[in-house]
Amino acid sequence: MANNDVLIIGSGIAALQLAVKLSSNLNVRILTKEKLRTANSYLAQGGIAAALGENDHPSKHVVDTLEAGRFHNNQEVVQEIITAAPELIKNMARQGEIFDKNQHGKLLLGMEGAHSEKRIVHGGGDATGKNVMEYLITELKQKRNITVEENVFTYELLLNNERNICIGVKAKKAAGSIQKFYGHHVIIATGGCGQLYTYTSNAKTVSGDGIAMAYLAGADIVDMEFNQFHPTLLYINGETNGLISEAVRGEGAILVTEDGTRIMEGVHPLKDLGPRHVVSQRIYEYLKKGKQIYLDISNIEDFRGRFPSITALCEDNGIRLADGKIPVAPGSHFLMGGIKTDLIGRSSLNGLYAIGEASCTGLHGANRLASNSLLEGLFQGEQLSKWINEGWKRPQIQPKHHDCHPKGEKAVHLPHVQQIKDSMMERVGIVRNEVNLKKQQAWLQQFKAEMIHLDTLTTQQLTKIFMLVTAKLMTDAALKRTESRGGHFRSDCPNEDDHHWLRKSIIHNYKQGREKSNEHIETALAT
Ligand SMILES: Cc1cc2nc3c(=O)[nH]c(=O)nc-3n(C[C@H](O)[C@H](O)[C@H](O)COP(=O)(O)OP(=O)(O)OC[C@H]3O[C@@H](n4cnc5c(N)ncnc54)[C@H](O)[C@@H]3O)c2cc1C
């Protein structure tokens, strides 16, 4: 048993930002599933959005964010985070050589899809995530109050006797032993769930664990029907293998068929830089007809210099950049939904916080504007650190607790991981409909994943349980939302239905077995 002031699960940008900003008087422990650097944050290429350009203003960035989110966003949250972005980035830029600058020392600003101005701050060309993470890791290593434990798979939240405060977690170590960790503040920073799909840009450890754990412990989960599919993953021999950042289209690349026909002409006014769901759907239409789509990069000057990581990725996969064409396919990239939190990161369960992609503050609405998520992680990490530093403390942890999970079924009949991924891609993917969603719901139901007792399972089995629980949340929400909006597209109801659905959220709560409307969310968080 280990007691901590702050217990952080995961080691992405949100987790590390929180850890380094916490007061050095606090005892902080980070538990992470594999290595410290194994995280989506490390893979992030394009950059971080902030209204820093001469003609730019946060109000323009706010409008772009709401437009991309199809007005499902929490407008106050959007206002707050977007307005804070320029100062946040300038402060970080002062700390070292993290971001790319021109010869006069001014930050270089890139363009990305659905942004009305150049406002993407980037580092190492297309290695922004790596640069920011390395900076945070350097800071982390100088702090003696922070302990990082690698290869620790967190699998269950511990609740107090009354089951209304989260007081810690159970985790499996590499050798399979179980250890309990206690914390005054328990923070889930486990990222989204890209690995639920056959095609994904996500790190291998990002499979919905934190969301499933929070759900099983009784926290509100929201907006799970909104998943973003990135239009351009590198597509080789029927498999996706890494991301070709939107910044490549921002620099002038265009989407074409084998014979060079542009596929975004007449589809959206922003053409190749249209919102991600529009571009993904368009490419998907072609792929379903057996037609390969390419990014034509022939008009980008010095591609190698501007995009060194993407160049290396392509060359490692046998693509000749001199040919000017990169084969692409869309894949699961970013989850807009997650654990319902306020701006500080407080969930509906006392003592439990969520930050980063695992959380849902409402910033992204129905679809994320490119490069707004690293920003959200940095913002949330800082906000939560301020709140904790200001001295809020719970009474001493009660040693007696309940495991949050029922001592349920032991017999474990679970599908293969690939079956989960393929069925999600086919039935709860880029294009959905009632028939497929019901088929998936019935298929998932048979495993009764919520009921299975976890202690005796291997980490591989636990991963499947979390994938199944998260998949169920996504499928149920996608079936319930009988319209198309942002990342959620239903071919059987292809239009936005503002009358029934505008700013309405679907919330899942396992303990209360209920779904609530937006009004109820606000009440729940206020108590
Ligand atoms: C290829 C790629 C490129 C991207 N490019 C950009 C970009 O340019 N700009 C932008 O804004 N966003 C970008 N994104 C999105 C952005 O990177 C993520 O939304 C963000 O990094 C998420 O950060 P996070 O802190 O929430 O968690 P993550 O970085 O996803 O990290 C989650 C951590 O939790 C750990 N974990 C998971 N489960 C457990 C468990 N059970 N126990 C213990 N630890 C666990 C993981 O191993 C990992 O360390 C990109 C994403 C990808 C995949």
Side-chain angles (χ1 to χ4, degrees), residues 132-149:
V132 175
M133 288 287 284
E134 287 300 340
Y135 159 70
L136 291 171
I137 290 168
T138 307
E139 292 282 296
L140 194 80
K141 291 201 164 147
Q142 287 163 19
K143 298 204 134 203
R144 297 185 40 202
N145 61 318
I146 304 173
T147 309
V148 178
E149 291 205 41

Side-chain angles (χ1 to χ4, degrees), residues 10-11 13-14 33 38 41 46-47 154 205 209 357 368 371 373-374:
S11 59
I13 193 167
K33 197 161 151 182
T38 313
S41 302
T154 304
T205 55
D209 301 10
E357 198 174 327
R368 175 190 70 133
S371 290
S373 45
L374 292 177

